[in-house]
Amino acid sequence: MARRVVVALLGPVHWSPPGIDRAEWRAALAEDVIDLLATLNEVEVAVAVTPADRALADSLVWPGTAVYEVAAPTPNAVFAALEGYDQAAVLAGDVPDLPALTVGKLLRPLTTRPVAVAPVEGGGPGLLGVAVRLPVPGWLPPLDLDTATPGDARSGAPRPGDVAVTAGWRRLRGPADLATLDPAFEGWETTRALLSASGRPA
């Protein structure tokens, strides 16, 4: 069986709901993502941060969870830091209610494709996550989860089909995204509690 790792990339957060400190918001989102990944089967889980955010990662991870320090908060930097894995996926750190099934769908194409990307639901720039077979194909360009598109990932591929596009999910990057949170959906406990404490519905 392939050795697989799913990494939560705790990149910068550029927005928080009014009345909520951005650092607290970022930490709540990250904690929920890390808790979600801890429930996954048949994968190892890790967290990646720039050195400036190492304390944030250490305060949130479960015992034994690997934390990778990377020079830049990009999937490519994370992939370069990994050793001993056959497959890896890097996910954005602002998806607290991400269904575990969506992570599985991102990894599944790697049995036949070298790269898979999950777009941000609803269109617009940015990716939910990127998964690759390791070592990373030399044609994969640098990708930024905040700005890249599936087309960017395919731009250097020998064939468009070498990059699978899987199910997406929305990221919490603005007021419109916040309004889509479903209170009936399980998970996102820390984000939910922070919103409730601020007087917002959650």
Side-chain angles (χ1 to χ4, degrees):
M1 180 179 293
R3 189 180 178 203
R4 302 183 294 178
V5 62
V6 179
V7 184
L9 176 57
L10 307 187
V13 169
H14 305 291
W15 170 87
S16 63
I20 297 180
D21 178 77
R22 189 169 301 180
E24 290 185 31
W25 177 245
R26 182 189 187 198
L29 298 176
E31 183 171 352
D32 283 337
V33 172
I34 293 168
D35 286 351
L36 161 76
L37 297 187
T39 69
L40 299 177
N41 296 320
E42 299 180 356
V43 299
E44 295 180 45
V45 174
V47 171
V49 290
T50 59
D53 288 324
R54 179 62 189 249
L56 171 66
D58 287 342
S59 71
L60 298 175
V61 295
W62 292 78
T65 302
V67 177
Y68 292 94
E69 291 187 14
V70 292
T74 66
N76 305 70
V78 177
F79 295 142
L82 300 174
E83 295 183 0
Y85 294 101
D86 304 300
Q87 301 175 1
V90 174
L91 295 172
D94 53 8
V95 284
D97 62 338
L98 179 68
L101 185 61
T102 303
V103 183
K105 289 179 177 178
L106 178 60
L107 288 164
R108 191 170 301 130
L110 297 182
T111 57
T112 58
R113 318 274 188 94
V115 177
V117 296
V120 174
E121 194 174 65
L127 298 170
L128 165 68
V130 182
V132 299
R133 288 189 215 150
L134 295 172
V136 179
W139 49 259
L140 185 69
L143 299 174
D144 185 321
L145 291 181
D146 288 338
T147 60
T149 65
D152 293 330
R154 285 176 164 163
S155 63
R159 296 170 299 277
D162 287 337
V163 178
V165 179
T166 66
W169 194 255
R170 53 104 182 87
R171 296 170 55 186
L172 294 188
R173 298 191 287 182
D177 301 315
L178 186 66
T180 65
L181 282 170
D182 183 355
F185 195 85
E186 293 184 4
W188 61 284
E189 299 300 335
T190 308
T191 303
R192 190 192 310 261
L194 186 58
L195 288 168
S196 296
S198 73
R200 291 180 161 270

